[in-house]
Amino acid sequence: MGSLTYRDHQDDDKNTAFTWEVRANNRAFQRQAKEGGFFCWQNRKYKTNLIHTAKYNVLSFLPLNLYEQFHRMSNVYFLLIIILQTIPEISTLPWFTLFAPLVCLLLIRATRDLVDDIGRHRSDRTVNNRPCQILLGKGFLWKKWKNLCVGDVVCLSQDSIVPADLLLLASTEPSSLCYVETADIDGETNLKFRQAPSVTHHELTSVKKMSSFQGTVMCEAPNSRMHHFVGRLEWNGRKYPLDIGNLLLRGCKIRNTDTCYGLVIYAGFDTKIMKNCGKIHLKRTKLDLLMNKLVILIFLSLVVISLGLMVGFAVTFSEFREKHYYLPAARQSRGLVTESFFIFWGFVILLSVMVPMAMFIIAEFIYLGNSVFINWDQQMYYEEQDIPAKARSTSLNDHLGQVEYIFSDKTGTLTQNIMTFNKCCIAGRIYGAHPGVLGAENPYQWNQFAYGKFPFYNKELLGLVRTNKNQTVREFWRLLALCHTVMVHEKGSQLLYQAASPDEEALVTAARNFGYVFLSRTQDTITLVELGVERVYQVLAMMDFNSVRKRMSVLVRTPEGSICLYTKGADTVILERLRKRGPVEATTEEALFTFAQQTLRTLCLASKEVSEDELAEWQRRHQEASLLLQNRAQALHQVYNEMEQNLELLGVTAIEDKLQDGVPDTIKCLRKGNIRVWVLTGDKQETAVNIGFACQLLSENMLILEEKDINSILETYWENNNLHPRKKGLLRSLPQARMAMVVNGEFLDQLLLSLRKEPRALVQNVVVDEAWQEPGLGRRDFLNARRISMLWRNLGGQLNSPGQPREEDEQTQECPEVLRERAFVELASRCQAVICCRVTPKQKALIVALVKKYQQVVTLAIGDGANDVNMIKTADIGVGLAGQEGMQAVQNSDYVLAQFCFLRRLLLVHGRWSYMRICKFLRYFIYKTLASMMVQIWFAFYSGFTAQPLYEGWFLALFNLLYSTLPILYIGLFEQDVSAERSLQMPELYVAGQRDQLFNYGVFLQAVAHGTATSLVNFFVTLLVSQNLAGPSGLGDQQSFAVLVALSGLLSITVEVVLITKYWTVLSLLTVVLSLSAYGLLTYATQSYLLFRISPVTFPFLYADWNVLSRPSALLVVLLNVSINTLLPVAVRIIVQELSKARKKEEVALGEDILAVEPMPQLRRESSRRRSSYAFSHREGYASLITQGTSLRRAPGANPEVTYESVGEPQDEAPPEAPRTPKRMSLGDRRPSVEAAIPSPDLTLSLDEAPGPQQAWGPRTREPRTLSPRRRSQTPPVPEEAPVSLPQVLELAPESESQLPEEKEEEEERVEREQGLLDLGSSPWRIPLQFWRSWPHAWPRDAHPDREDAPPAASAARASLPAGFGEAPTAEQPMEVEPWPVEVEPSPMEWLPVPLPAEEQPRDPRPSPSDRGKESFPFSNKPGLA
């Protein structure tokens, strides 16, 4: 099991113990169980089912919120200044002047956090108060979820949500099956089955027996592994094994099951889904973190400046006392050291306005305003469901303009999860849907079984079906009605289909509407209604599909007595098994290519007739393979493969997985904005890849890398460089190419080692099997891996720079796990798209954390289900879609949208505007603060370094509040550099935010320099002019000088805000006018004689502005200052802009020269005819249930004596004809096992030493893209002007300098034809093994214990089987459930009395139409009933 491999045996021994003990119906034991805590305090081991996802409670809100707020250094800085202001000796301003704004700022942020948390409390209250039936005493009572405890027995009914992780004890379905929908866990809406242990299925047949049930479950401790569970049930002195197939997970929904009963194993936060939800993190924007650093930098600068001014005071202290003995400061009796100390802190307080609190308060209003604009945007309003966009967080708006990675769920986020039959091709002719016909009339009224909402209609095809003259058309629809694992039941007068995948349901529904109705099935028959005629087919064999076979077949005997094989599957496996390839087949291949271009999910259909002799011989071999104790699955697959040969092609189906509106355009636009989109889904790889093509995330000319390709690339890169990966920039020098990456959860599980917090799964004494592969698949896989490795060897040869230093010292500081993670992330960052399949909710979060850890970029996660909550919490920005999977994602998100397409406007318009506005706001505020306040420093040189303020106190108080705030507030709320339409048309503008171009250390220093220059001009120009204007009418007094400097600074920063504003409206003009008017009016008021008489100390500047402005010379001084402060920056900006344009032209010209000399070939995939994208399951479907009869109901007369009181003793062992083996996974699932062997320690590999599946990171599940010689011969030659394909690029490396690529290809094909397998031992293509020796955690697996000595009987049986399949053990599919083999008998629970509310009436004992299987199967499901 690749995802569960241990690094050492110590971890193995540590984590394999069963430490979780659950006693049924014993609450006292669960309450008494304690575990270690803090000192003498012990915590309860078993948690209740009460959950709290909120961050605060009544007691913790105030301290925790203050703790979080004082993580901002600005708040710490302001608190320090307030404390200093309370000291009278050094205070220059009253302490409350800064305390009141700080309290206001803290209240604003606390209120915002409180509102968000109240929503979480409401959600928790709703979930905790859901009702459920709990066994208390002798019966079931209705209680709330929060009252549920570990060890309780719970009764669930149809459509109930599972309240906790339950061990399924019994159900009313046959063999105690239970069907569940796990959309909130893995995103899949198709039903899955769970099954109760055989012993509880037989024994717990009444409420009385359940109430006396005293079994004990010993299992692993609570963990986050969604698809793994190991335990045992101890009851009546015997032990029974348990696995994930017996467990109902919290959040699942019960479907198609009347009643089921379960034992609570994990409750509350111990459940697997809650373990995957993660914690709420405090999210901070990049600008917020940068401002933290800048506040520290400014504070340190102020300390240095204050120390310098203090030194100046100390030097001039004696001279100052002698000259200015009349001043109060000169008459102080304190000594030099004491006076210098007070002067230092006085300057710190005086210059503290360099970090204005008004900036942070106004920023909160800007964030709030931009959030309101998101809520008001009508273009993000989804009218169909009446859902507007909503900003649940008001502090992350600027982060929306800096996103580089988007992590998206698939089901419900990119797709609508609606499968529709779109097109088909029968006998080489394509039949598409006729639009608009279904709205006028129903063309299927002639068919009483037709599904009324079936969207496909083609008049010509329907006419061919109804005339029943075309044999191919008849066989086409008959195949769709026969070859499947769908189960049916009737509800009212409607047939309801239950399929292992939505694709299967869509195909059977299509056959149903065209007159071939799947009516019912038994263990060995299928009943159809073909154009009104009922026909019963005998099922001779059912060969189910999985991701390895990529096909399914059913062998049936028709009512006429003939034997037919019907097969459907991927084009790559069906076309190569055809008996002939004529014009019809060629036309069908063209149809496949057309369907693939339209991103439809295609499936090939074929059939053949089988003779009686051939059937008898095949059944003998099939029986021998079925009796094998080892390698049974491999043997059966080989036998299936023998039968599935020489087929006749019938046609092709094309199913559309409907995307949400605008998804392809949105992804295309986001990628133009340099935003990478990763799809993280719990769905199958084939489905995810197909959706990738449908939404244009993937394209035909992309090189798609998988697990083995990634291993080869990194191996070649490391060996070429002959050193370990460097700490930074591991793969950034690799050549650019259009690449995409497709990996699965098992592969990723080995990458996330350094981020995982929990122990691995319990795999002690578990035998790991290898996967069976199609014949020839391993050879093509290995050739493809070799070619990709050689591609990077050729293209990456330039990486060996002799002058490049080796960073070996840095390597020693990182563990191998970190090096591996960093290498993978850097390789993935070079891909245009990454798709991760079969990932758990916690893996989604760990992938996001991995990118954040090594790329240091802004990430956004978007999803709609509970399985996306952890990812949404971990990302810098979480977006929840208000979809059909509940509101869990919405309640934990920062922003709420109704459709994925609205993400484009959220980022490219609102996000970019918010980032641009806040950056302009911060830069301008820093500039204007320094331009106005730096004069205090220059004034200190002329005031004896006495920390004397220059400005009027009221000017300082009102400057940031009214005089200069409104224009910059307008910029923060309404500024637009381009319109919304242009922002969407030019997504390239978004790159500025990703690169932090609008606000960074450079921009900050520019603002500092600009503000300092403005303050120097205002102070010293005014000073020089004032020295020549002394006298009664002059400007040499301190108040006149202060007025001139203040007015010059105010007008200079006002002109600057006029210059930087690009979006002018009446409101922008009004803000400028109001600001200047406020200065005039309030200055006149504060300098009036009336207020001066009231308090001369508070209002000392009596008519100072009037006296100054009434003199023309003063106006000229102000005009001169403003002119210099305006013209010089404008001139500098023009010069810098012109130099930047010239530099860009030179770079473009230089780039064209380089490209002209050394053109880079365009890479594309080898063949655009990609394989079928049908959603093949990772496990076999319901075939095992059908063929064993597990899910089918018995005839009433089969065993009429059996009642629920006379159930036989439970069987301890499985029947010999269907032995049960636990599910196993292999590190090399679906890998070639014939050619693979454990590599030798040599530096090079021959074919026999080729890296096998044990050394790979994870399984490879995708069909190789290389063409077989037969297929390659049909591919037209590439013209000279066409782009170079991947195989051509790979084959450009000649065997010798004189050998041409064409000669090499012919030689390679000759070797393949003669040997059937490439002999690398004699080929110059030799794959190095340095990677396999140095790459961490690429361990060879121990030999399979069963391989040593096989039983004689098994050997004899194997000897009679066809040669060619290897000796690898049986390969079971990962993370799936194998059903328990149960006898074909009705469930004793089918007639178990179900606890009902008092107001409900007893159920009628007669069968009703809603009884499962009444019309679907020929017999009733109740023993003793007619």
Side-chain angles (χ1 to χ4, degrees), residues 425-430 571 575 578 582-595 603-605 649-652 1169:
C425 176
I426 306 177
R429 182 175 179 83
I430 298 178
D571 56 324
L575 295 179
L578 298 181
V584 173
E585 286 74 15
T587 307
T588 303
E589 287 194 64
E590 293 299 325
L592 279 168
F593 176 61
T594 303
F595 295 160
L603 202 64
C604 287
L605 312 182
L649 185 64
L650 298 177
V652 175
R1169 298 175 181 272

Side-chain angles (χ1 to χ4, degrees), residues 547-752:
S547 59
V548 178
R549 282 173 38 81
K550 294 184 172 63
R551 62 188 181 275
M552 176 194 174
S553 300
V554 59
L555 189 63
V556 299
R557 188 184 299 274
T558 66
E560 293 79 15
S562 61
I563 303 171
C564 294
L565 176 74
Y566 294 103
T567 303
K568 65 181 181 182
D571 56 324
T572 52
V573 297
I574 297 297
L575 295 179
E576 64 185 14
R577 288 168 170 77
L578 298 181
R579 186 177 61 182
K580 64 176 182 177
R581 300 179 68 86
V584 173
E585 286 74 15
T587 307
T588 303
E589 287 194 64
E590 293 299 325
L592 279 168
F593 176 61
T594 303
F595 295 160
Q597 283 185 324
Q598 299 171 3
T599 67
L600 300 176
R601 300 160 75 141
T602 57
L603 202 64
C604 287
L605 312 182
S607 66
K608 76 170 184 179
E609 290 192 5
V610 180
S611 64
E612 293 286 351
D613 295 339
E614 184 180 358
L615 174 64
E617 176 63 20
W618 183 85
Q619 286 181 331
R620 182 186 66 81
R621 301 173 71 85
H622 181 270
Q623 180 68 14
E624 293 173 349
S626 302
L627 295 177
L628 288 178
L629 298 180
Q630 296 181 0
N631 306 324
R632 179 183 301 169
Q634 181 181 350
L636 287 174
H637 289 171
Q638 183 67 27
V639 174
Y640 294 164
N641 184 56
E642 289 181 356
M643 176 58 70
E644 297 164 333
Q645 301 292 334
N646 300 321
L647 303 174
E648 292 284 346
L649 185 64
L650 298 177
V652 175
T653 62
I655 289 181
E656 179 186 9
D657 188 357
K658 286 191 174 181
L659 297 173
Q660 291 190 8
D661 297 335
V663 168
D665 294 336
T666 301
I667 292 180
K668 182 179 179 181
C669 188
L670 293 175
R671 292 174 66 175
K672 287 182 179 180
N674 194 36
I675 300 176
R676 294 177 175 85
V677 180
W678 290 25
V679 176
L680 312 181
T681 176
D683 213 338
K684 309 170 187 66
Q685 178 168 328
E686 289 83 0
T687 306
V689 170
N690 180 71
I691 293 301
F693 280 100
C695 64
Q696 299 181 13
L697 189 64
L698 304 177
S699 60
E700 295 292 346
N701 61 348
M702 275 187 178
L703 176 64
I704 299 181
L705 305 177
E706 295 184 351
E707 292 94 326
K708 187 178 293 184
D709 306 336
I710 298 168
N711 287 337
S712 300
I713 291 171
L714 296 177
E715 166 201 354
T716 304
Y717 172 78
W718 282 16
E719 184 164 347
N720 279 350
N721 285 270
N722 196 25
L723 47 83
H724 296 288
R726 293 183 295 272
K727 187 172 182 179
K728 294 184 179 180
L730 170 66
L731 297 170
R732 293 174 186 171
S733 56
L734 285 174
Q736 290 285 356
R738 290 183 58 81
M739 297 185 302
M741 183 180 292
V742 179
V743 295
N744 62 19
E746 296 178 25
F747 179 79
L748 292 170
D749 204 31
Q750 301 170 69
L751 287 171
L752 308 178

Side-chain angles (χ1 to χ4, degrees), residues 1111-1337:
R1111 302 167 188 172
S1113 58
L1115 297 177
L1116 290 176
V1117 172
V1118 173
L1119 180 61
L1120 179 61
N1121 290 337
V1122 174
S1123 300
I1124 296 175
N1125 290 329
T1126 302
L1127 295 178
L1128 284 179
V1130 169
V1132 171
R1133 290 169 185 169
I1134 293 175
I1135 294 173
V1136 171
Q1137 187 175 5
E1138 293 299 325
L1139 292 176
S1140 177
K1141 290 181 179 179
R1143 188 183 305 110
K1144 288 182 180 179
K1145 291 181 180 179
E1146 293 178 0
E1147 292 176 356
V1148 171
L1150 181 60
E1152 292 176 352
D1153 294 341
I1154 294 175
L1155 290 176
V1157 174
E1158 194 68 33
M1160 175 65 69
Q1162 178 182 356
L1163 296 178
R1164 65 177 179 88
R1165 300 176 69 192
E1166 179 175 2
S1167 173
S1168 60
R1169 298 175 181 272
R1170 59 186 177 88
R1171 51 145 174 79
S1172 170
S1173 52
Y1174 183 79
F1176 295 103
S1177 176
H1178 275 237
R1179 58 160 187 157
E1180 295 187 352
Y1182 295 142
S1184 58
L1185 299 181
I1186 295 170
T1187 54
Q1188 295 175 12
T1190 303
S1191 61
L1192 306 179
R1193 306 184 186 274
R1194 295 272 318 261
N1199 192 358
E1201 295 81 14
V1202 176
T1203 64
Y1204 72 93
E1205 293 292 339
S1206 60
V1207 179
E1209 293 297 327
Q1211 296 183 3
D1212 299 332
E1213 298 180 357
E1217 61 272 16
R1220 185 181 189 279
T1221 56
K1223 269 297 172 186
R1224 305 184 178 104
M1225 297 166 55
S1226 172
L1227 186 62
D1229 276 350
R1230 301 179 295 281
R1231 294 296 184 105
S1233 57
V1234 179
E1235 301 87 2
I1238 297 178
S1240 64
D1242 300 330
L1243 292 180
T1244 57
L1245 296 177
S1246 65
L1247 173 64
D1248 295 333
E1249 299 166 341
Q1254 296 87 355
Q1255 287 76 32
W1257 275 1
R1260 177 186 179 92
T1261 60
R1262 190 171 63 86
E1263 188 76 3
R1265 297 182 293 277
T1266 55
L1267 295 176
S1268 63
R1270 180 181 63 179
R1271 296 287 297 275
R1272 190 183 294 124
S1273 63
Q1274 299 174 1
T1275 305
V1278 180
E1280 294 181 359
E1281 64 274 11
V1284 183
S1285 66
L1286 173 59
Q1288 292 170 327
V1289 174
L1290 291 167
E1291 294 166 358
L1292 286 179
E1295 300 180 4
S1296 62
E1297 294 183 359
S1298 60
Q1299 188 176 14
L1300 297 177
E1302 293 81 6
E1303 296 174 353
K1304 171 175 173 49
E1305 182 176 355
E1306 293 175 1
E1307 177 66 15
E1308 180 181 328
E1309 292 183 6
R1310 182 185 66 78
V1311 175
E1312 291 178 6
R1313 289 194 301 269
E1314 292 179 359
Q1315 299 182 5
L1317 187 65
L1318 187 63
D1319 185 8
L1320 292 180
S1322 59
S1323 172
W1325 299 84
R1326 300 179 65 82
I1327 303 301
L1329 192 59
Q1330 181 67 27
F1331 167 77
W1332 302 108
R1333 301 179 62 186
S1334 61
W1335 189 251
H1337 302 286

Side-chain angles (χ1 to χ4, degrees), residues 105 108-109 112 359-369:
L105 179 62
I108 292 174
R109 290 172 174 169
R112 179 193 63 199
M359 179 175 70
F360 296 95
I361 297 177
I362 296 173
E364 290 297 323
F365 286 102
I366 292 176
Y367 280 119
L368 179 61

